[in-house]
Amino acid sequence: MSYNNIKIFQMTMEDFSNIKHILLHDFDDFWNVQTFEEELKNENSYYLVAKIDNTIIGFAGMKIILDEADIMNIATRKDSRNLGIGSIMLEKLISIAKERGIKKLMLEVNEKNINAIHLYKKFNFEEISTRKKYYDNMYDAIIMQKFL
Ligand SMILES: CC(C)(COP(=O)(O)OP(=O)(O)OC[C@H]1O[C@@H](n2cnc3c(N)ncnc32)[C@H](O)[C@@H]1OP(=O)(O)O)[C@@H](O)C(=O)NCCC(=O)NCCS
């Protein structure tokens, strides 16, 4: 796989149709298909896809509320992780947020999700609080923010 071939596009419903049946298996995504589809249709949401040739290898999205946005989801296809694709997508999401006048990005992440926490810290997201036992009544959610 050539790293240089990665292109980022705004996610379309056609993109979603192409990946909805492989979300859990290939992307390890934690949302069900219906929740994802509703998010995608929400006028305050912005989702992007990373493609190599015509194949979707990642997606990421945020929900914009006035001058703040919540990063709702980011996932790289399982067989393409740790190659920098998550970083490319997050960088693009941050730059789109800046273009849209967003002042602050927020997110929450499972304390067990070391890879995601590493990615967010790399982009200078700061931990501001935790929600105890938020996931499966067992693991804390870490709330992070970044001012743009
Ligand atoms: C989190 C996720 C999107 C990262 O995507 P990715 O394409 O692997 O990201 P990158 O390759 O840009 O890696 C980002 C950083 O995390 C680190 N990292 C990623 N995978 C890693 C692994 N398996 N082991 C160690 N470090 C890892 C990398 O070292 C990299 O840091 P570096 O550039 O300083 O080396 C991916 O692991 C994923 O899809 N997880 C499942 C979905 C999920 O949990 N999303 C987050 C919801 S809050």
Side-chain angles (χ1 to χ4, degrees):
M1 181 169 66
S2 166
Y3 184 86
N4 295 326
N5 282 345
I6 297 169
K7 293 210 172 82
I8 304 283
F9 303 91
Q10 184 165 4
M11 191 175 194
T12 63
M13 287 314 287
E14 193 187 341
D15 291 327
F16 180 69
S17 293
N18 288 336
I19 56 168
K20 67 181 182 187
H21 54 289
I22 53 167
L23 279 173
L24 190 61
H25 184 264
D26 287 5
F27 289 90
D28 199 12
D29 187 44
F30 48 90
W31 278 354
N32 69 39
V33 168
Q34 202 184 339
T35 307
F36 200 152
E37 192 167 3
E38 279 163 18
E39 277 303 317
L40 202 55
K41 285 180 178 163
N42 187 310
E43 59 178 18
N44 296 318
S45 293
Y46 179 93
Y47 275 77
L48 57 79
V49 285
K51 291 186 183 177
I52 292 182
D53 298 327
N54 233 357
T55 304
I56 295 172
I57 47 157
F59 56 83
M62 62 185 163
K63 188 178 269 174
I64 301 166
I65 303 135
L66 302 173
D67 63 353
E68 292 187 15
D70 286 332
I71 295 186
M72 303 295 286
N73 207 344
I74 180 163
T76 299
R77 211 172 67 187
K78 280 187 205 165
D79 63 6
S80 307
R81 288 188 188 159
N82 210 10
L83 295 171
I85 294 157
S87 300
I88 290 171
M89 294 193 295
L90 187 54
E91 193 174 15
K92 186 70 183 173
L93 210 54
I94 290 169
S95 94
I96 288 163
K98 279 185 187 160
E99 276 168 27
R100 295 186 174 207
I102 308 281
K103 301 279 188 291
K104 188 170 77 168
L105 286 171
M106 304 276 296
L107 61 86
E108 59 191 37
V109 56
N110 190 322
E111 62 173 340
K112 301 290 279 182
N113 197 343
I114 304 298
N115 295 344
I117 293 168
H118 187 114
L119 174 65
Y120 299 136
K121 286 197 170 159
K122 188 173 139 185
F123 283 85
N124 298 319
F125 280 81
E126 286 176 326
E127 190 176 327
I128 51 164
S129 63
T130 54
R131 288 199 184 123
K132 294 288 170 202
K133 300 193 176 187
Y134 184 72
Y135 297 104
D136 303 329
N137 211 17
M138 244 197 308
Y139 303 115
D140 295 354
I142 299 176
I143 318 287
M144 302 179 94
Q145 72 177 17
K146 175 183 169 72
F147 287 98
L148 304 183

